[in-house]
Amino acid sequence: MQKRAVLLCRSENGSQAELVETMGLLSSYAKDNEWKVVKIFSETGKLGNLTLWDLRLMAKHKEFEYLLMKDFETFSMPPDESMEEVRYLIENGVEVRTLNDGNLTCESLPALFRNRFKIFVGKRKYN
């Protein structure tokens, strides 16, 4: 049986060119892995609550096996909320994959959060 995927595309600044590019990259990845794309979400700005609601309902009803995004930043929400979304999807049989950050799991997210912090003292950068 062919695996089903949902593609989640987001442009923070509303750039249509960025959305089209991201959609193309995600579609190519899905095609290379022989996944059937069942839905594409295309968002600008912050990720909408209706999109998250739809993802949760689709996961609950086993309508897809993979959620594919460009990177972790696509979630655009605080760490605790991102962790909860990933946990819910995984518990409902969905694997969360990104092109740039690999698979997202409850175990891999803390390292991703830490890697996003940059510490500057004077002109020196730490981390």
Side-chain angles (χ1 to χ4, degrees):
M1 182 177 172
Q2 190 175 23
K3 297 291 185 176
R4 299 162 298 172
V6 170
L7 308 182
L8 182 56
C9 309
R10 185 179 75 84
S11 171
E12 189 167 338
N13 61 7
S15 167
Q16 281 301 111
E18 183 181 358
L19 282 175
V20 169
E21 178 186 355
T22 301
M23 207 172 301
L25 291 170
L26 297 177
S27 295
S28 293
Y29 186 92
K31 184 178 179 182
D32 290 346
N33 285 283
E34 299 179 355
W35 297 343
K36 177 183 179 183
V37 175
V38 294
K39 185 146 186 151
I40 299 173
F41 290 98
S42 181
E43 299 273 332
T44 56
K46 293 191 74 86
L47 198 57
N49 286 334
L50 288 177
T51 299
L52 293 172
W53 180 256
D54 282 349
L55 282 172
R56 283 177 164 244
L57 278 177
M58 290 177 73
K60 181 179 178 181
H61 294 288
K62 310 293 184 212
E63 295 179 24
F64 66 109
E65 288 80 30
Y66 297 101
L67 173 63
L68 183 60
M69 306 177 290
K70 182 176 179 183
D71 53 31
F72 170 71
E73 301 299 329
T74 303
F75 273 130
S76 71
M77 58 182 85
D80 56 336
E81 292 176 28
S82 298
M83 182 80 82
E84 179 59 24
E85 291 304 322
V86 169
R87 185 196 59 75
Y88 184 87
L89 292 169
I90 290 171
E91 284 179 357
N92 283 279
V94 175
E95 190 173 313
V96 183
R97 290 200 184 176
T98 68
L99 299 179
N100 298 336
D101 298 320
N103 291 358
L104 297 184
T105 64
C106 294
E107 292 78 27
S108 70
L109 285 177
L112 278 173
F113 298 140
R114 282 191 296 277
N115 290 338
R116 299 292 190 270
F117 289 111
K118 304 294 180 218
I119 300 172
F120 292 90
V121 177
K123 293 186 178 189
R124 293 184 70 182
K125 178 180 172 184
Y126 296 89
N127 185 358

